[in-house]
Amino acid sequence: MNLTEDKIGAIMKAAERIRKDCIWMSTRAGTGHLGPALSIADILATLYIGVMKVDPKNPKWPDRDRLILSKGHGCLALYSILSQVGFFDRKYLGDFCTKCDTLLPGHPELKLPGVEANTGSLGHGIAIGMGMALAAKLDGKQYRVFVVTGDGELQEGSNWEAAMAAAHHKLDNLVVIVDRNRLQLGDLTENISKLEPLEEKWKSFGWRVKSINGHDIKELLSTLNDVPFSIGKPTAIIAHTVKGKGLKIAENKVEWHYKVLTKEQYEELKEELALEELQDE
């Protein structure tokens, strides 16, 4: 088995762990945006296991790559992968939305090691990432900034202001990954406010763009390790995904934007999905 196969296997295992953690954490808490977290499991696993330069023992390492989860409501997945790679003890996953002073609230906050920005109000992540990428250029640093954004979130005009500025400043160290699951809070994105032709929109703003299968680990790994696609241009990757991926009753269902399993449903699916939960300390 070659190194790439080993890497793909490790990423697949991490993504599976993300999905199990998300289901367990949200069921335990009785709350959470489960559908939006499940759709980005493969993306986050690939970034943290196979692409990004980070040091969990030194979360503020100046030369680290940065990840901004602009769609902060998908934080269940972020919490899982941060714990898997060692930013904090996995025992804290059980605190998700169950304590007033939890390090793992319903949207990510800077108080948790590995979180680079508070994100909850949508439409700010690309601008934050653009600022970080520009700072790297000004400081002569080589780190990259990855921003994971929802597709419905792109209906916010602030994203396109940031996109225009990023192209103007030639920020080829900025990579935006669009979680293109085609569903948002209340309906299909195209029924709320049409995004298509999305690839052409990004190109018109001066970005290099590629559309991929957001659940194909090999394609994710190859694409993300190939950025920037052009020197002097920021990169946009449109990752086509399935909302609720891995949980059949939730897949492609708009109502699972903010919905979790009941404890009864969890018990029914526990064996089928080989679900596991962390034991209380």
Side-chain angles (χ1 to χ4, degrees):
M1 183 176 291
N2 61 39
L3 182 60
T4 301
E5 290 172 337
D6 283 339
K7 184 70 71 177
I8 290 173
I11 294 169
M12 292 177 67
K13 184 177 180 180
E16 181 182 5
R17 178 74 270 167
I18 289 174
R19 291 192 167 94
K20 291 181 179 181
D21 285 345
C22 288
I23 294 170
W24 174 69
M25 283 189 285
S26 60
T27 304
R28 175 185 171 92
T31 188
H33 291 78
L34 184 56
L38 294 176
S39 66
I40 58 172
D42 301 301
I43 295 168
L44 293 188
T46 302
L47 284 169
Y48 279 95
I49 303 297
V51 177
M52 292 173 57
K53 296 183 298 179
V54 294
D55 182 359
K57 293 183 173 57
N58 183 14
K60 297 299 183 182
W61 175 41
D63 294 321
R64 71 191 182 281
D65 289 334
R66 275 76 164 163
L67 185 283
I68 307 295
L69 183 62
S70 189
K71 49 170 284 179
H73 53 285
C75 61
L76 283 162
L78 179 62
Y79 295 156
S80 173
I81 193 62
L82 289 179
S83 74
Q84 288 188 61
V85 298
F87 278 97
F88 62 91
D89 195 311
R90 283 179 55 77
K91 69 181 181 182
Y92 292 111
L93 292 180
D95 292 347
F96 171 73
C97 286
T98 59
K99 298 180 179 180
C100 290
D101 59 348
T102 180
L103 291 172
L104 282 67
H107 291 81
E109 297 180 6
L110 284 166
K111 60 185 177 181
L112 183 70
V115 171
E116 297 286 354
N118 293 359
T119 53
S121 179
L122 297 174
H124 300 300
I126 298 177
I128 295 170
M130 186 272 293
M132 290 180 174
L134 180 57
K137 292 289 187 180
L138 294 173
D139 293 339
K141 296 286 188 178
Q142 299 301 310
Y143 66 78
R144 300 165 298 175
V145 183
F146 297 88
V147 180
V148 177
T149 178
D151 48 5
E153 181 180 1
L154 295 181
Q155 293 159 0
E156 300 269 4
S158 52
N159 292 300
W160 301 105
E161 294 179 42
M164 183 167 54
H168 174 78
H169 291 290
K170 298 180 172 57
L171 300 182
D172 51 13
N173 56 343
L174 177 63
V175 181
V176 169
I177 304 165
V178 180
D179 178 29
R180 187 68 170 118
N181 60 41
R182 296 182 176 272
L183 288 171
Q184 57 189 98
L185 175 61
D187 203 344
L188 292 165
T189 57
E190 303 310 283
N191 290 341
I192 299 291
S193 183
K194 292 185 185 297
L195 290 172
E196 296 297 340
L198 187 55
E199 189 169 327
E200 283 72 15
K201 282 184 172 68
W202 282 102
K203 288 178 180 178
S204 72
F205 274 78
W207 289 54
R208 281 295 309 275
V209 190
K210 184 174 183 179
S211 292
I212 64 172
N213 180 343
H215 299 306
D216 185 320
I217 300 298
K218 186 174 182 180
E219 187 173 14
L220 279 164
L221 188 60
S222 173
T223 300
L224 288 166
N225 276 320
D226 196 36
V227 298
F229 300 144
S230 292
I231 300 301
K233 287 191 174 186
T235 298
I237 297 170
I238 301 172
H240 293 275
T241 63
V242 174
K243 197 160 193 167
K245 177 71 172 177
L247 184 61
K248 293 298 183 184
I249 63 173
E251 289 186 353
N252 280 320
K253 302 287 180 59
V254 66
E255 62 267 26
W256 281 86
H257 179 84
Y258 186 67
K259 183 178 179 179
V260 300
L261 291 174
T262 64
K263 287 182 169 53
E264 291 74 21
Q265 288 174 317
Y266 180 89
E267 290 300 324
E268 290 173 4
L269 293 169
K270 188 173 179 179
E271 184 175 351
E272 176 187 340
L273 299 178
L275 297 174
E276 305 165 10
E277 58 269 354
L278 298 173
Q279 298 300 311
D280 291 330
E281 291 294 313

